[in-house]
Amino acid sequence: MNGLRPDLALIAEWIAPGAHVPDLGCGDGSLLAHLQAAKRCAGYGVEINDAQVLACVRAGVDVIQQDIETGLGMFHAPSFDVVVLSMAIQMTHRTEHVLREMSEVGREGIVSLPNFGYWKHRQAILNGHMPVSESLPHQWYDTPNVRFFTIADFDDFCAAR
């Protein structure tokens, strides 16, 4: 593959060459670095974690250190072709606010999330433990996740809005 996580590789396929893309909760900026190199896309990472911001800078990704829950007011509506929120929605307290702001600054939005309903995760719970996997790498006591939901829950949430 291209060194990207599987969800990021799929997202990269969906984004048109030359698109203007912000990646909210961008982590180390690997998606944007790939989009810049492979598809001549432009955009910004938005990340709160100091070490991840530094990783973005080292990767040549323009990054804004900001908590996405405080808003995306630094961007004008609609400024972007596609707004990405990958593996971060479950860490938000103001989920509806974040999604609404995404829809205001971008023409399209892509959200990826860990599926807490995945059979291996359900099996872990049936065995008496919270799941730990590649997509859920943290123990219950040190997880950044504040929301635990399935893809069906997210679909219902979006349909209701």
Side-chain angles (χ1 to χ4, degrees):
M1 201 178 306
N2 45 24
L4 292 175
R5 286 188 335 232
D7 64 307
L8 296 181
L10 183 59
I11 290 168
E13 288 179 21
W14 292 339
I15 296 175
H20 198 200
V21 181
D23 184 1
L24 309 180
C26 67
D28 65 4
S30 57
L31 175 63
L32 282 173
H34 171 77
L35 290 173
Q36 289 170 352
K39 293 193 167 187
R40 295 178 319 280
C41 292
Y44 300 93
V46 181
E47 178 59 53
I48 193 168
N49 180 281
D50 293 337
Q52 299 286 41
V53 169
L54 183 57
C56 288
V57 171
R58 287 185 176 143
V61 171
D62 291 330
V63 63
I64 298 167
Q65 188 165 23
Q66 171 92 17
D67 181 349
I68 61 172
E69 293 194 76
T70 63
L72 302 176
M74 70 286 240
F75 302 125
H76 300 289
S79 300
F80 299 99
D81 299 308
V82 181
V83 182
V84 175
L85 180 66
S86 178
M87 295 297 192
I89 193 169
Q90 75 281 0
M91 298 178 204
T92 62
H93 289 89
R94 301 177 64 207
T95 305
E96 190 167 356
H97 172 77
V98 169
L99 292 171
R100 186 177 309 110
E101 292 222 337
M102 278 180 67
S103 70
E104 290 173 1
V105 300
R107 289 174 192 75
E108 293 182 57
I110 297 174
V111 177
S112 71
L113 51 112
N115 183 10
F116 291 94
Y118 180 55
W119 75 267
K120 288 184 178 182
H121 298 156
R122 293 192 321 262
Q123 183 66 49
I125 292 170
L126 286 172
N127 291 338
H129 297 280
M130 289 302 293
V132 177
S133 66
E134 186 176 338
S135 65
L136 297 171
H138 302 281
Q139 295 290 336
W140 66 269
Y141 53 83
D142 70 352
T143 183
N145 299 323
V146 297
R147 304 270 181 251
F148 301 92
F149 56 98
T150 67
I151 292 170
D153 292 326
F154 185 69
D155 284 344
D156 292 346
F157 173 86
C158 291
R161 284 150 186 85

